[in-house]
Every structure is written in C-alpha cells, then in structure tokens.
Amino acid sequence: MSAIGGPHQKKGGVVLRFASDFEDSGLSEESAPGKYRLFEIDGSLGQRLLEGKETFHIKGGPNDEAVLCTSEETFEIKKKESSNTLLLIPKLDDQLKSAQQKLSAAPIPGGEEELNSRVEEVQVPAAMPNIYTMKKIAPRLGQLKTLLREGIYPGEDVANGTHRKRAKLNDGSSSSGVHASGNTYTFKELFDRVQCSEKELQEGLLSLNAFELHGKWRVFEDAYLTKLFDSILSTVVGNGMPVDCVSASTLAENLNVQGYLPEVIEKALSMFSNVCDEKGQYALDKTKVAKFRAKQLLSTFSTNKNAAVGDFKRWRMCDFMEEWTDSMFGLASASEMSDLLSVSKVCNDLATLERGCGDGHEYIQRFFASDLPEDATKRFAALFARRQKWEEGDIKPFIEGIVVTGNPLATLLLKNSRSSMVKPKPGTPQYPKSYRVYTAR
C-alpha cells in the first residue's frame, strides 16, 4: 500500500489517503492537529479506566512533567520515542473489505488493464509517533507547601491587616517575602494545582497540620503557633487541667481575652493531642509536643562568629537535652525525654547526630527531611553533601517520604547509592559486629 501523491505500482489495490487535517510535518509536535496519544497502562489501572470505575486527571503546568492522578494514586507520564510511527485507522478490516468489494463489483469497460489501474482509498485520520508510559510516584507535595505559604495564618490581627510581617511555615522553614495577606485556597483550588490524588492531598494537608478556616486552607505562622501553644500549655499546667482530658471549649474560654479564635485554639490543640471523644476532649501527646519543641530548638540560628549567615546552631547534646526538657513545661521528665530521643527516635527526621568528635561530646544539628527535594536523585545528592557516609538506620527517615508502593526502600538505596560493610572500631559498644554504610555513587 502507498499514500496518494506518492509513486504507485501499475495494478489495482488500496492506497492510504491522509485526512485533510493530518500534518506529517507536525508529528513531532505535541499540539499536532488530529493527533492522538497512545498510553501504556498497567493491567489493574487500565481495567478500572475501561470499566469507568476510575476518574483521573492529567495535571501539570508549562514547566512541569505531566502526571496522571486517580482518586488515590499519582503516576508520572513519560514519553517513549518510537522509530516506527503507528498509523491510526478506525475499522481497518472493514474499510479494506469494502474497498476490495468495490473494485471487484465495478464494471470494467477497459478490461483487465483498467482493473489494474484502479485504486480505492482508506483514510488515515491520525498517527502516533510516540508511546506514553506511566510509573507510580510519590505525590508532589512541594507544590502544596508553596501554595500554603502564600496565605500563612499569623493571627486575626495580622490577617485583618493590622500589621504585616515575614512568615514561617509550621515546619520552621522560612517563607521570605510572603505575607499573611497573600493568596488563600479552597480544597478544590489546591486539588486543581497540586500534582497528587485527592486522597494524597488530604494526607498532605494533614501532615502539614493545615486547617480550614472560612472555607480556605491555612497553616500557622511559626512564631504565632509558638505563642499560641505556649499559652495553651501554661493554661493547662497553671489551672491543673488533666493532660489526658483537656477540654477545647474550656481552653477557649480561658484564652478568649488574648484574642484567639475558638476554632484556631482547637486546631492547635489537636496538632499535639489525641482525640478522646467527639465532645472536644483531647489528651496531650508527649511525643507530638516533644517533636514540636525539638523543631523550635533546632531552628535556632547559630551565634558562632565563624558560622555563615543562616546556619543553624550546632548543639552540644547535653545542652540540647536540658533546653528540650525545660521547654516541656513539666510534661515529661529528663529520663522520659532521653527515651523520646533514643527509643521513640523523635528527632530522627529532624537532625543529624555527630558522635566521636574528639572533645568527648555528641552534637545535634537541624536537618529536616521536609526541607529536602522531592526528586530522588536530588534528595540523595543533598544527603551525601551533608554527610559522606550514612548508616541505614540514619538515612532511612530521610528517604521514607519518597518511597512508593512497588518500589521498596532497598531498591531506592540500590539505585541511588553504593553500599559496603564496615567493621567497627575496637571499643565501640554500639557496633558489636560489621554494619552497612551507604555512600554516593
């Protein structure tokens, strides 16, 4: 078969004619007229889409890599180049059969010579030079953080325009140049912009301690949340309230004179508590409170004259533990705080620890997993820039957030690092035998 306009053999048959809006010169362009897209989809997702049981959205801005989002998952879309362009011809067998029948049934005034010169056409409406593949990925929640930073909640006075100030997100990261009077978004507006599924967006908002106020999703300014939570703790401790049954309404009554909204107080309380019942009763969670206080201390800037501007303080462990315990307002003893550090590992995704520094001290310094890039290659680059060698237990908290179903942590480490076994130095009790370390590729 050949296309009309090209060379033809001297006998009857069927040729391909491209549709009037088909542009061969535009095959390499994503916006080529009449062009279809061919997706290679795994069996379970493909079956759900064919059965109409799954709604999906394709998201991405001009500078983003496109993703396909189902109700619960996110898939990265990649274009795979093909050396053979696929021609899309609807009901080809029927068209060929019809064309042959026309050739056979038509009268032949000129005999066999005329029959050999006759051709019938089959329309080619489109072609597909590429195949698009999909791979399940972790949700791209960095976009969510950026959007929430545009409308950080710094309290009613600031929100109403009494004054403006530079704001910080709940995790302590700075949002330089962004003020409380910036944009705020509804859930639908966030869903339309963030490359993640609806379920992943809900989980992302929860992980960022976002809350809905007047129909818009907000996060607390760091300084405001510190002030509010200090007020909550001092009220609870000062009034002798049972920490395992704190009433949000009672707190609101006590803090009303300070100008805090009841719904804002309850949100702050819920961030550091577990719900007791549906009547607004909460039990303060020592682990959640301790992690919040650790974030605050680790976000202290260094006052060392040799430190660069913006460097975080490198704490001696003994000093950090003392300050950390004092910040709990008596909710936990020094031994409980030590257990939270070593057993519950509250700081594992917040800081790096330095042992054997030569001066007999251990040190701890801020290194938030939430500050690291979402892209696996960039994240590992940042990890190995911080430390040349990582033990598995130390690196795990910093990469768990980018692990996806079907791609276990071991696979992620194998692809992005080198591993080797190291023998412990004599007299190192925490390493009774050889242990594995990871280095950059």
Side-chain angles (χ1 to χ4, degrees), residues 319-387:
D319 296 333
F320 175 79
M321 292 301 300
E322 183 178 350
E323 290 274 356
W324 195 26
T325 303
D326 289 344
S327 71
M328 293 291 286
F329 284 35
L331 289 180
S333 65
S335 62
E336 287 177 309
M337 296 302 288
S338 180
D339 286 343
L340 286 172
L341 181 71
S342 60
V343 180
S344 300
K345 302 185 183 302
V346 166
C347 296
N348 271 24
D349 62 345
L350 300 179
T352 50
L353 304 180
E354 298 174 60
R355 306 180 183 93
C357 297
D359 59 359
H361 291 287
E362 289 186 349
Y363 290 86
I364 184 171
Q365 188 174 28
R366 170 180 164 144
F367 191 63
F368 288 0
S370 58
D371 290 341
L372 298 174
E374 292 179 335
D375 177 76
T377 302
K378 293 178 180 179
R379 178 166 295 213
F380 275 89
L383 286 166
F384 291 121
R386 174 72 169 206
R387 179 186 288 177

Side-chain angles (χ1 to χ4, degrees), residues 152 165-169 173-176 178-180 221-222:
I152 288 175
K165 62 168 71 176
R166 172 170 149 165
K168 290 185 179 181
L169 196 60
S173 56
S174 174
S175 54
S176 179
V178 178
H179 298 85
E221 179 195 13
D222 187 66

Side-chain angles (χ1 to χ4, degrees), residues 13 29 62 87 237 260 298 321 440:
E29 299 177 8
L87 302 181
V237 175
Y260 296 117
L298 292 168
M321 292 301 300

Side-chain angles (χ1 to χ4, degrees), residues 230-274:
D230 282 348
S231 298
I232 290 174
L233 275 186
S234 61
T235 300
V236 170
V237 175
N239 292 330
M241 297 181 183
V243 295
D244 58 350
C245 192
V246 179
S247 169
S249 59
T250 302
L251 267 180
E253 291 175 7
N254 281 273
L255 297 176
N256 182 56
V257 294
Q258 298 184 38
Y260 296 117
L261 297 179
E263 57 267 43
V264 171
I265 293 172
E266 184 161 5
K267 173 56 190 176
L269 178 61
S270 69
M271 286 171 59
F272 309 106
S273 310
N274 299 311

Side-chain angles (χ1 to χ4, degrees), residues 391-406:
E391 296 170 35
E392 184 172 353
D394 292 337
I395 198 172
K396 184 178 177 180
F398 295 100
I399 59 176
E400 286 179 321
I402 58 173
V403 173
V404 297
T405 305

Side-chain angles (χ1 to χ4, degrees), residues 99-202:
Q100 294 290 357
Q101 288 174 345
K102 289 180 182 178
L103 286 170
S104 301
I108 311 173
E112 185 176 347
E113 184 176 348
E114 183 175 339
L115 174 62
N116 289 337
S117 66
R118 289 182 177 179
V119 293
E120 285 293 331
E121 301 169 2
V122 171
Q123 290 284 329
V124 181
M128 294 172 290
N130 307 301
I131 297 175
Y132 292 84
T133 60
M134 296 200 302
K135 180 181 70 173
K136 190 177 185 308
I137 60 170
R140 292 174 176 167
L141 297 179
Q143 298 166 316
L144 177 59
K145 292 180 184 179
T146 300
L147 293 172
L148 290 174
R149 283 189 180 107
E150 294 180 15
I152 288 175
Y153 183 76
E156 283 303 293
D157 289 344
V158 181
N160 291 329
T162 303
H163 65 282
R164 295 158 64 99
K165 62 168 71 176
R166 172 170 149 165
K168 290 185 179 181
L169 196 60
N170 295 349
D171 62 6
S173 56
S174 174
S175 54
S176 179
V178 178
H179 298 85
S181 59
N183 297 324
T184 54
Y185 300 93
T186 64
F187 184 88
K188 183 181 183 304
E189 289 169 337
L190 291 173
F191 179 69
D192 289 342
R193 289 166 171 78
V194 180
Q195 290 185 303
C196 67
S197 68
E198 184 173 344
K199 179 183 178 183
E200 290 166 334
L201 178 58
Q202 292 169 341

